[in-house]
Amino acid sequence: MAASSTSIVVLASLFATAALLMSGASAQLSTGYYKKTCPKLFDAVESVVKSAIAKEKRMGASLLRLHFHDCFVQGCDGSVLLDDTSSSRGEKTANPNNNSIRGFNVVDDIKSKVESVCPGVVSCADILAIAARDSTAILGGPTWDVKLGRRDSKTASLAAANSGVIPPPSSNLNNLINRFQNLGLSTKDMVVLSGSHTIGQARCTTFRGRIYNESNIDGSFARTRQGSCPSRNGAGDNNLAPLDLKSPTFFDESYYKNLLDKKGLLHSDQVLYNGGSTDNLVETYSKNPKAFANDFAAAMIRMGDISPLTGSSGEIRKNCRRAN
C-alpha cells in the first residue's frame, strides 16, 4: 500500500529530528576534550592496549569489535560493558554478543590505569573509542584523531541488542546496507568498516552454513575450513578460524583480496562481492590500501558519532562494569 503524503511528511520530519539530535550531540565531541583534564590519557590507554596485544594479537580485533557493538546498540555509550544485575540484564548475553565479544578484562585494566592518572574524568565509552583506534594502529592499520566527550549510560538493553541492529553473519547485502543506514552510516561506510575483518577470528557456528552449503566459495578454502568445523551443529561450535586467510593479525587490504577469490569466511563478508552494488568498492580497496586506510579512519570517526551521551546526560562510571 502506498503511504499517504501526510505520513511521508511525518516520517521525513522524524528522520530530520533524529539527524539533528545526532549531529547536535556529536558536535559536542572534540579531539581535545581531555587536553587539560587528563593530558596523560592517550599514553595510559595505549600502554595497556600494546601490552594486551603483545600477549595475544587477537585482542586488538576484540577491542575494535567492542566499540562497534557498543555504538550499534543505543549509541556509543559504554552500555555493552555493563554486567547483569539482579534487576536488569545487560547486553553481554544478547545473541550477537554471548560467547562472542571479549576483552572486558583489558578494558578494566585500561580504566584502572586511566583512573590512576585522572580519577573520575574519562568515560568508559571514550576508552572504547580510543582502544579501538590504538588496536587498529598497533596492528598496522591507520590512525586518526579520536573525538571524545562521550558519557556513560546508566543502563544497558538486552532487548535492543537482540533487536537485529547488530548485523548477524548471515546478513544479505540489503540487510547490511539498511542496518548501517538506520544509524546514519552509508553503504561505503559499511563496506569499509567490514574491512575490520582483516583481523580477528570467528567461531565455527558463524560460518558453518557458508562452508558447507554455499556455492560462491573457493573449494579448497571451504575444505580447509571444514577441517576444523564439523558439519553437525553442536560439534566444534567454538572452534576458531581467521577472518582473513592471508594476514590474520595484520591490518591491511587482504580482506578484500580474499573476497575477490571467493574466500570470505562469513556469508556477510562474501555478499560484499557477489555481483551486487558493492563490488566496485571491494575491487577499489583490494588494490588501493591508502584509500582503504583513509576511508576506514573517516568511517570510524562517523561511527563514533552515533548518539553519544554528552553534557549532563549519563555519568562517568567509576567501574566500567556497573553504573555508579
Side-chain angles (χ1 to χ4, degrees):
M1 183 186 296
S4 70
S5 59
T6 301
S7 64
I8 290 172
V9 170
V10 170
L11 280 171
S13 176
L14 285 172
F15 282 127
T17 301
L20 281 171
L21 287 171
M22 182 174 164
S23 63
S26 63
Q28 295 179 47
L29 303 180
S30 68
T31 57
Y33 189 82
Y34 297 110
K35 189 173 183 179
K36 293 183 179 178
T37 55
C38 192
K40 296 180 180 178
L41 168 62
F42 294 121
D43 289 341
V45 175
E46 186 184 33
S47 66
V48 179
V49 175
K50 267 187 176 176
S51 175
I53 292 176
K55 292 175 185 172
E56 183 196 18
K57 287 282 181 69
R58 183 188 175 202
M59 186 53 67
S62 299
L63 293 173
L64 178 56
R65 190 161 177 249
L66 271 181
H67 183 42
F68 166 58
H69 280 231
D70 183 38
C71 291
F72 267 56
V73 181
Q74 69 182 38
C76 308
D77 61 357
S79 59
V80 73
L81 302 173
L82 289 171
D83 286 340
D84 292 349
T85 69
S86 56
S87 58
S88 67
R89 289 185 65 190
E91 298 164 19
K92 290 182 177 179
T93 55
N95 292 330
N97 297 337
N98 197 31
N99 296 319
S100 179
I101 55 172
R102 58 197 294 276
F104 299 108
N105 290 339
V106 176
V107 175
D108 292 340
D109 291 343
I110 298 170
K111 179 65 170 174
S112 295
K113 186 72 176 282
V114 171
E115 287 293 299
S116 73
V117 295
C118 45
V121 173
V122 181
S123 68
C124 300
D126 277 345
I127 283 173
L128 286 181
I130 301 168
R133 186 271 309 274
D134 288 352
S135 295
T136 303
I138 290 166
L139 291 175
T143 188
W144 57 92
D145 292 331
V146 183
K147 291 164 68 175
L148 301 167
R150 302 168 192 81
R151 289 169 64 83
D152 296 321
S153 65
K154 298 178 182 180
T155 59
S157 176
L158 178 69
N162 275 329
S163 68
V165 290
I166 299 173
S170 58
S171 296
N172 63 35
L173 185 58
N174 283 338
N175 286 342
L176 290 170
I177 290 171
N178 290 336
R179 280 167 180 166
F180 276 72
Q181 283 184 345
N182 288 342
L183 293 169
L185 298 172
S186 68
T187 298
K188 181 179 178 180
D189 289 332
M190 180 273 290
V191 174
V192 76
L193 289 172
S194 295
S196 62
H197 285 180
T198 180
I199 53 175
Q201 301 186 59
R203 295 179 301 143
C204 166
T205 185
T206 64
F207 59 84
R208 176 181 281 122
R210 170 151 169 75
I211 62 174
Y212 285 101
N213 303 324
E214 296 185 6
S215 58
N216 62 338
I217 186 169
D218 177 83
S220 175
F221 172 69
R223 287 189 293 275
T224 297
R225 292 283 75 93
Q226 289 168 6
S228 58
C229 181
S231 60
R232 182 170 58 85
N233 286 338
D237 283 2
N238 292 322
N239 292 351
L240 298 172
L243 285 158
D244 178 352
L245 182 71
K246 289 185 169 72
S247 51
T249 59
F250 190 75
F251 199 101
D252 59 16
E253 75 283 3
S254 292
Y255 168 80
Y256 299 103
K257 293 178 179 178
N258 294 333
L259 300 186
L260 299 186
D261 295 335
K262 298 183 179 180
K263 294 178 181 178
L265 184 63
L266 306 179
H267 177 82
S268 57
D269 289 328
Q270 196 60 55
V271 294
L272 301 183
Y273 192 77
N274 195 38
S277 61
T278 55
D279 281 14
N280 286 342
L281 277 169
V282 171
E283 290 172 2
T284 296
Y285 292 140
S286 73
K287 57 192 176 189
N288 193 335
K290 187 173 182 180
F292 169 48
N294 290 340
D295 291 351
F296 184 84
M300 285 295 292
I301 292 169
R302 281 190 288 274
M303 187 181 79
D305 281 346
I306 298 174
S307 304
L309 297 173
T310 58
S312 59
S313 300
E315 63 183 11
I316 303 298
R317 278 185 223 141
K318 296 173 184 175
N319 180 328
C320 289
R321 294 175 179 266
R322 58 176 178 265
N324 293 342

